[in-house]
PDB file of all heavy atoms in Angstrom:
ATOM      1  N   VAL A 284       0.910  -1.218  -0.020  1.00 92.00           N
ATOM      2  CA  VAL A 284       0.017   0.002   0.006  1.00 92.00           C
ATOM      3  C   VAL A 284       0.916   1.186  -0.035  1.00 92.00           C
ATOM      4  O   VAL A 284       1.844   1.336   0.758  1.00 92.00           O
ATOM      5  CB  VAL A 284      -0.925   0.022   1.284  1.00 92.00           C
ATOM      6  CG1 VAL A 284      -1.743   1.276   1.259  1.00 92.00           C
ATOM      7  CG2 VAL A 284      -1.717  -1.203   1.351  1.00 92.00           C
ATOM      8  N   VAL A 285       0.578   2.220  -0.906  1.00 94.00           N
ATOM      9  CA  VAL A 285       1.258   3.498  -0.804  1.00 94.00           C
ATOM     10  C   VAL A 285       0.273   4.439  -0.340  1.00 94.00           C
ATOM     11  O   VAL A 285      -0.750   4.623  -0.883  1.00 94.00           O
ATOM     12  CB  VAL A 285       1.853   3.871  -2.214  1.00 94.00           C
ATOM     13  CG1 VAL A 285       2.429   5.235  -2.220  1.00 94.00           C
ATOM     14  CG2 VAL A 285       2.784   2.834  -2.838  1.00 94.00           C
ATOM     15  N   VAL A 286       0.731   5.124   0.754  1.00 95.00           N
ATOM     16  CA  VAL A 286      -0.171   6.148   1.362  1.00 95.00           C
ATOM     17  C   VAL A 286       0.348   7.536   0.962  1.00 95.00           C
ATOM     18  O   VAL A 286       1.620   7.825   1.285  1.00 95.00           O
ATOM     19  CB  VAL A 286      -0.184   5.956   2.886  1.00 95.00           C
ATOM     20  CG1 VAL A 286      -0.987   7.159   3.477  1.00 95.00           C
ATOM     21  CG2 VAL A 286      -0.838   4.694   3.259  1.00 95.00           C
ATOM     22  N   ASN A 287      -0.411   8.348   0.301  1.00 94.00           N
ATOM     23  CA  ASN A 287      -0.073   9.651  -0.044  1.00 94.00           C
ATOM     24  C   ASN A 287      -0.398  10.547   1.213  1.00 94.00           C
ATOM     25  O   ASN A 287      -1.585  10.711   1.573  1.00 94.00           O
ATOM     26  CB  ASN A 287      -0.855  10.200  -1.302  1.00 94.00           C
ATOM     27  CG  ASN A 287      -0.529  11.548  -1.613  1.00 94.00           C
ATOM     28  OD1 ASN A 287       0.165  12.382  -0.884  1.00 94.00           O
ATOM     29  ND2 ASN A 287      -0.884  11.941  -2.865  1.00 94.00           N
ATOM     30  N   LEU A 288       0.593  10.992   1.887  1.00 95.00           N
ATOM     31  CA  LEU A 288       0.353  11.740   3.104  1.00 95.00           C
ATOM     32  C   LEU A 288      -0.375  13.065   2.966  1.00 95.00           C
ATOM     33  O   LEU A 288      -0.993  13.516   3.895  1.00 95.00           O
ATOM     34  CB  LEU A 288       1.685  12.033   3.819  1.00 95.00           C
ATOM     35  CG  LEU A 288       2.531  10.618   4.308  1.00 95.00           C
ATOM     36  CD1 LEU A 288       3.855  10.968   4.830  1.00 95.00           C
ATOM     37  CD2 LEU A 288       1.653   9.787   5.179  1.00 95.00           C
ATOM     38  N   ASP A 289      -0.367  13.599   1.725  1.00 94.00           N
ATOM     39  CA  ASP A 289      -1.165  14.827   1.431  1.00 94.00           C
ATOM     40  C   ASP A 289      -2.738  14.506   1.477  1.00 94.00           C
ATOM     41  O   ASP A 289      -3.419  15.458   1.697  1.00 94.00           O
ATOM     42  CB  ASP A 289      -0.794  15.358   0.129  1.00 94.00           C
ATOM     43  CG  ASP A 289       0.648  15.910   0.106  1.00 94.00           C
ATOM     44  OD1 ASP A 289       1.111  16.358   1.224  1.00 94.00           O
ATOM     45  OD2 ASP A 289       1.345  15.895  -0.932  1.00 94.00           O
ATOM     46  N   GLU A 290      -3.039  13.224   1.438  1.00 94.00           N
ATOM     47  CA  GLU A 290      -4.442  12.833   1.452  1.00 94.00           C
ATOM     48  C   GLU A 290      -4.941  12.488   2.848  1.00 94.00           C
ATOM     49  O   GLU A 290      -6.106  12.226   2.993  1.00 94.00           O
ATOM     50  CB  GLU A 290      -4.688  11.709   0.451  1.00 94.00           C
ATOM     51  CG  GLU A 290      -4.478  12.081  -1.011  1.00 94.00           C
ATOM     52  CD  GLU A 290      -4.575  10.863  -1.887  1.00 94.00           C
ATOM     53  OE1 GLU A 290      -4.873   9.703  -1.360  1.00 94.00           O
ATOM     54  OE2 GLU A 290      -4.490  10.952  -3.091  1.00 94.00           O
ATOM     55  N   VAL A 291      -4.077  12.302   3.766  1.00 94.00           N
ATOM     56  CA  VAL A 291      -4.354  11.856   5.163  1.00 94.00           C
ATOM     57  C   VAL A 291      -5.081  12.972   5.950  1.00 94.00           C
ATOM     58  O   VAL A 291      -4.582  14.111   6.045  1.00 94.00           O
ATOM     59  CB  VAL A 291      -3.123  11.364   5.839  1.00 94.00           C
ATOM     60  CG1 VAL A 291      -3.436  11.068   7.284  1.00 94.00           C
ATOM     61  CG2 VAL A 291      -2.524  10.200   5.129  1.00 94.00           C
ATOM     62  N   LYS A 292      -6.214  12.741   6.392  1.00 94.00           N
ATOM     63  CA  LYS A 292      -7.045  13.625   7.225  1.00 94.00           C
ATOM     64  C   LYS A 292      -6.496  13.675   8.665  1.00 94.00           C
ATOM     65  O   LYS A 292      -6.439  14.628   9.252  1.00 94.00           O
ATOM     66  CB  LYS A 292      -8.480  13.257   7.206  1.00 94.00           C
ATOM     67  CG  LYS A 292      -9.464  14.189   7.886  1.00 94.00           C
ATOM     68  CD  LYS A 292     -10.800  13.624   7.717  1.00 94.00           C
ATOM     69  CE  LYS A 292     -11.754  14.320   8.717  1.00 94.00           C
ATOM     70  NZ  LYS A 292     -13.135  13.771   8.583  1.00 94.00           N
ATOM     71  N   SER A 293      -6.210  12.477   9.175  1.00 93.00           N
ATOM     72  CA  SER A 293      -5.689  12.275  10.495  1.00 93.00           C
ATOM     73  C   SER A 293      -4.810  11.049  10.629  1.00 93.00           C
ATOM     74  O   SER A 293      -5.090  10.015  10.007  1.00 93.00           O
ATOM     75  CB  SER A 293      -6.752  12.308  11.566  1.00 93.00           C
ATOM     76  OG  SER A 293      -7.487  11.119  11.540  1.00 93.00           O
ATOM     77  N   CYS A 294      -3.809  11.092  11.530  1.00 94.00           N
ATOM     78  CA  CYS A 294      -2.905   9.964  11.821  1.00 94.00           C
ATOM     79  C   CYS A 294      -3.005   9.888  13.329  1.00 94.00           C
ATOM     80  O   CYS A 294      -2.616  10.744  14.055  1.00 94.00           O
ATOM     81  CB  CYS A 294      -1.571  10.118  11.383  1.00 94.00           C
ATOM     82  SG  CYS A 294      -0.384   8.924  11.875  1.00 94.00           S
ATOM     83  N   SER A 295      -3.505   8.748  13.889  1.00 94.00           N
ATOM     84  CA  SER A 295      -3.671   8.643  15.216  1.00 94.00           C
ATOM     85  C   SER A 295      -3.145   7.289  15.813  1.00 94.00           C
ATOM     86  O   SER A 295      -3.136   6.256  15.076  1.00 94.00           O
ATOM     87  CB  SER A 295      -5.123   8.782  15.745  1.00 94.00           C
ATOM     88  OG  SER A 295      -5.991   7.845  15.057  1.00 94.00           O
ATOM     89  N   LEU A 296      -2.668   7.307  17.064  1.00 94.00           N
ATOM     90  CA  LEU A 296      -2.227   6.076  17.756  1.00 94.00           C
ATOM     91  C   LEU A 296      -3.536   5.413  18.278  1.00 94.00           C
ATOM     92  O   LEU A 296      -4.251   6.049  18.973  1.00 94.00           O
ATOM     93  CB  LEU A 296      -1.218   6.434  18.857  1.00 94.00           C
ATOM     94  CG  LEU A 296      -0.599   5.362  19.669  1.00 94.00           C
ATOM     95  CD1 LEU A 296       0.384   4.588  18.661  1.00 94.00           C
ATOM     96  CD2 LEU A 296       0.198   5.924  20.778  1.00 94.00           C
ATOM     97  N   LYS A 297      -3.610   4.199  17.996  1.00 93.00           N
ATOM     98  CA  LYS A 297      -4.739   3.470  18.374  1.00 93.00           C
ATOM     99  C   LYS A 297      -4.389   2.318  19.318  1.00 93.00           C
ATOM    100  O   LYS A 297      -3.470   1.596  18.969  1.00 93.00           O
ATOM    101  CB  LYS A 297      -5.498   2.922  17.178  1.00 93.00           C
ATOM    102  CG  LYS A 297      -6.740   2.058  17.488  1.00 93.00           C
ATOM    103  CD  LYS A 297      -7.395   1.569  16.150  1.00 93.00           C
ATOM    104  CE  LYS A 297      -8.493   0.612  16.484  1.00 93.00           C
ATOM    105  NZ  LYS A 297      -9.039   0.090  15.218  1.00 93.00           N
ATOM    106  N   LYS A 298      -4.926   2.251  20.467  1.00 89.00           N
ATOM    107  CA  LYS A 298      -4.579   1.210  21.396  1.00 89.00           C
ATOM    108  C   LYS A 298      -5.913   0.395  21.810  1.00 89.00           C
ATOM    109  O   LYS A 298      -6.894   1.076  22.009  1.00 89.00           O
ATOM    110  CB  LYS A 298      -3.966   1.767  22.712  1.00 89.00           C
ATOM    111  CG  LYS A 298      -2.606   2.303  22.499  1.00 89.00           C
ATOM    112  CD  LYS A 298      -1.997   2.727  23.836  1.00 89.00           C
ATOM    113  CE  LYS A 298      -0.565   3.277  23.632  1.00 89.00           C
ATOM    114  NZ  LYS A 298       0.030   3.516  24.936  1.00 89.00           N
ATOM    115  N   VAL A 299      -5.791  -0.903  21.763  1.00 86.00           N
ATOM    116  CA  VAL A 299      -6.913  -1.695  22.110  1.00 86.00           C
ATOM    117  C   VAL A 299      -6.565  -2.627  23.286  1.00 86.00           C
ATOM    118  O   VAL A 299      -5.534  -3.292  23.269  1.00 86.00           O
ATOM    119  CB  VAL A 299      -7.333  -2.594  20.927  1.00 86.00           C
ATOM    120  CG1 VAL A 299      -8.428  -3.537  21.303  1.00 86.00           C
ATOM    121  CG2 VAL A 299      -7.709  -1.682  19.679  1.00 86.00           C
ATOM    122  N   TRP A 300      -7.359  -2.535  24.351  1.00 76.00           N
ATOM    123  CA  TRP A 300      -7.058  -3.352  25.574  1.00 76.00           C
ATOM    124  C   TRP A 300      -8.021  -4.539  25.511  1.00 76.00           C
ATOM    125  O   TRP A 300      -9.069  -4.581  25.008  1.00 76.00           O
ATOM    126  CB  TRP A 300      -7.377  -2.588  26.805  1.00 76.00           C
ATOM    127  CG  TRP A 300      -6.317  -1.633  27.174  1.00 76.00           C
ATOM    128  CD1 TRP A 300      -5.347  -1.792  28.007  1.00 76.00           C
ATOM    129  CD2 TRP A 300      -6.112  -0.312  26.666  1.00 76.00           C
ATOM    130  NE1 TRP A 300      -4.413  -0.812  28.037  1.00 76.00           N
ATOM    131  CE2 TRP A 300      -4.908   0.196  27.271  1.00 76.00           C
ATOM    132  CE3 TRP A 300      -6.748   0.462  25.727  1.00 76.00           C
ATOM    133  CZ2 TRP A 300      -4.381   1.467  26.968  1.00 76.00           C
ATOM    134  CZ3 TRP A 300      -6.372   1.755  25.458  1.00 76.00           C
ATOM    135  CH2 TRP A 300      -5.115   2.231  26.110  1.00 76.00           C
ATOM    136  N   GLY A 301      -7.472  -5.640  26.172  1.00 71.00           N
ATOM    137  CA  GLY A 301      -8.204  -6.875  26.309  1.00 71.00           C
ATOM    138  C   GLY A 301      -9.302  -6.595  27.377  1.00 71.00           C
ATOM    139  O   GLY A 301      -9.453  -5.561  27.924  1.00 71.00           O
ATOM    140  N   SER A 302     -10.101  -7.637  27.673  1.00 68.00           N
ATOM    141  CA  SER A 302     -11.162  -7.491  28.660  1.00 68.00           C
ATOM    142  C   SER A 302     -10.444  -7.218  30.051  1.00 68.00           C
ATOM    143  O   SER A 302      -9.466  -7.828  30.366  1.00 68.00           O
ATOM    144  CB  SER A 302     -11.992  -8.737  28.789  1.00 68.00           C
ATOM    145  OG  SER A 302     -11.218  -9.846  29.069  1.00 68.00           O
ATOM    146  N   ILE A 303     -11.036  -6.287  30.764  1.00 68.00           N
ATOM    147  CA  ILE A 303     -10.554  -5.956  32.130  1.00 68.00           C
ATOM    148  C   ILE A 303     -11.630  -6.426  33.127  1.00 68.00           C
ATOM    149  O   ILE A 303     -12.707  -5.961  33.132  1.00 68.00           O
ATOM    150  CB  ILE A 303     -10.314  -4.518  32.245  1.00 68.00           C
ATOM    151  CG1 ILE A 303      -9.290  -4.015  31.180  1.00 68.00           C
ATOM    152  CG2 ILE A 303      -9.858  -4.099  33.623  1.00 68.00           C
ATOM    153  CD1 ILE A 303      -9.123  -2.549  31.077  1.00 68.00           C
ATOM    154  N   LYS A 304     -11.197  -7.391  33.923  1.00 68.00           N
ATOM    155  CA  LYS A 304     -12.179  -7.901  34.940  1.00 68.00           C
ATOM    156  C   LYS A 304     -12.006  -7.098  36.210  1.00 68.00           C
ATOM    157  O   LYS A 304     -11.050  -6.503  36.424  1.00 68.00           O
ATOM    158  CB  LYS A 304     -11.876  -9.367  35.156  1.00 68.00           C
ATOM    159  CG  LYS A 304     -12.058 -10.241  33.904  1.00 68.00           C
ATOM    160  CD  LYS A 304     -11.596 -11.720  34.169  1.00 68.00           C
ATOM    161  CE  LYS A 304     -11.790 -12.447  32.849  1.00 68.00           C
ATOM    162  NZ  LYS A 304     -10.451 -13.157  32.561  1.00 68.00           N
ATOM    163  N   ALA A 305     -13.139  -7.205  36.983  1.00 68.00           N
ATOM    164  CA  ALA A 305     -13.179  -6.527  38.244  1.00 68.00           C
ATOM    165  C   ALA A 305     -11.878  -6.913  39.110  1.00 68.00           C
ATOM    166  O   ALA A 305     -11.620  -8.065  39.226  1.00 68.00           O
ATOM    167  CB  ALA A 305     -14.413  -6.859  39.023  1.00 68.00           C
ATOM    168  N   GLY A 306     -11.194  -5.935  39.519  1.00 69.00           N
ATOM    169  CA  GLY A 306     -10.042  -6.133  40.423  1.00 69.00           C
ATOM    170  C   GLY A 306      -8.673  -6.298  39.627  1.00 69.00           C
ATOM    171  O   GLY A 306      -7.639  -6.341  40.251  1.00 69.00           O
ATOM    172  N   ASP A 307      -8.773  -6.489  38.251  1.00 63.00           N
ATOM    173  CA  ASP A 307      -7.560  -6.682  37.474  1.00 63.00           C
ATOM    174  C   ASP A 307      -6.516  -5.429  37.700  1.00 63.00           C
ATOM    175  O   ASP A 307      -5.288  -5.689  37.792  1.00 63.00           O
ATOM    176  CB  ASP A 307      -7.854  -6.750  36.015  1.00 63.00           C
ATOM    177  CG  ASP A 307      -8.124  -8.204  35.603  1.00 63.00           C
ATOM    178  OD1 ASP A 307      -8.003  -9.076  36.400  1.00 63.00           O
ATOM    179  OD2 ASP A 307      -8.525  -8.365  34.402  1.00 63.00           O
ATOM    180  N   LEU A 308      -7.066  -4.262  37.803  1.00 61.00           N
ATOM    181  CA  LEU A 308      -6.174  -3.052  37.885  1.00 61.00           C
ATOM    182  C   LEU A 308      -5.570  -2.958  39.279  1.00 61.00           C
ATOM    183  O   LEU A 308      -4.677  -2.071  39.432  1.00 61.00           O
ATOM    184  CB  LEU A 308      -6.948  -1.829  37.501  1.00 61.00           C
ATOM    185  CG  LEU A 308      -7.319  -1.806  35.966  1.00 61.00           C
ATOM    186  CD1 LEU A 308      -8.205  -0.541  35.678  1.00 61.00           C
ATOM    187  CD2 LEU A 308      -6.187  -1.951  35.072  1.00 61.00           C
ATOM    188  N   LYS A 309      -5.981  -3.751  40.171  1.00 63.00           N
ATOM    189  CA  LYS A 309      -5.383  -3.754  41.494  1.00 63.00           C
ATOM    190  C   LYS A 309      -4.064  -4.541  41.468  1.00 63.00           C
ATOM    191  O   LYS A 309      -3.148  -4.288  42.157  1.00 63.00           O
ATOM    192  CB  LYS A 309      -6.305  -4.233  42.611  1.00 63.00           C
ATOM    193  CG  LYS A 309      -7.486  -3.327  42.896  1.00 63.00           C
ATOM    194  CD  LYS A 309      -8.334  -3.945  43.869  1.00 63.00           C
ATOM    195  CE  LYS A 309      -9.637  -2.992  44.112  1.00 63.00           C
ATOM    196  NZ  LYS A 309     -10.572  -3.513  45.109  1.00 63.00           N
ATOM    197  N   ARG A 310      -4.151  -5.588  40.586  1.00 63.00           N
ATOM    198  CA  ARG A 310      -2.918  -6.463  40.473  1.00 63.00           C
ATOM    199  C   ARG A 310      -2.033  -6.264  39.379  1.00 63.00           C
ATOM    200  O   ARG A 310      -0.923  -6.555  39.396  1.00 63.00           O
ATOM    201  CB  ARG A 310      -3.455  -7.921  40.373  1.00 63.00           C
ATOM    202  CG  ARG A 310      -4.301  -8.519  41.621  1.00 63.00           C
ATOM    203  CD  ARG A 310      -4.677  -9.918  41.488  1.00 63.00           C
ATOM    204  NE  ARG A 310      -5.403 -10.143  40.220  1.00 63.00           N
ATOM    205  CZ  ARG A 310      -6.696 -10.133  40.068  1.00 63.00           C
ATOM    206  NH1 ARG A 310      -7.438  -9.706  41.000  1.00 63.00           N
ATOM    207  NH2 ARG A 310      -7.342 -10.367  38.834  1.00 63.00           N
ATOM    208  N   ARG A 311      -2.605  -5.568  38.276  1.00 63.00           N
ATOM    209  CA  ARG A 311      -1.846  -5.352  37.117  1.00 63.00           C
ATOM    210  C   ARG A 311      -1.963  -3.953  36.586  1.00 63.00           C
ATOM    211  O   ARG A 311      -2.933  -3.260  36.749  1.00 63.00           O
ATOM    212  CB  ARG A 311      -2.340  -6.276  35.949  1.00 63.00           C
ATOM    213  CG  ARG A 311      -2.149  -7.788  36.339  1.00 63.00           C
ATOM    214  CD  ARG A 311      -2.941  -8.690  35.438  1.00 63.00           C
ATOM    215  NE  ARG A 311      -2.362  -8.693  34.142  1.00 63.00           N
ATOM    216  CZ  ARG A 311      -3.029  -9.348  33.091  1.00 63.00           C
ATOM    217  NH1 ARG A 311      -4.154  -9.891  33.263  1.00 63.00           N
ATOM    218  NH2 ARG A 311      -2.401  -9.348  31.851  1.00 63.00           N
TER     219      ARG A 311
END
């Protein structure tokens, strides 16, 4: 794929997290 950067409306960093169960953020 060749992307012409002059045609790009936005370039963004996209992060996707897995499922977060109750209490997960206390341990991890």
Side-chain angles (χ1 to χ4, degrees):
V284 176
V285 176
V286 175
N287 182 345
L288 297 175
D289 291 330
E290 296 175 359
V291 173
K292 182 179 168 185
S293 68
C294 172
S295 56
L296 186 66
K297 179 179 172 185
K298 292 185 176 185
V299 177
W300 281 266
S302 60
I303 301 173
K304 298 176 185 129
D307 272 355
L308 295 177
K309 291 179 182 176
R310 296 184 307 271
R311 298 167 68 188

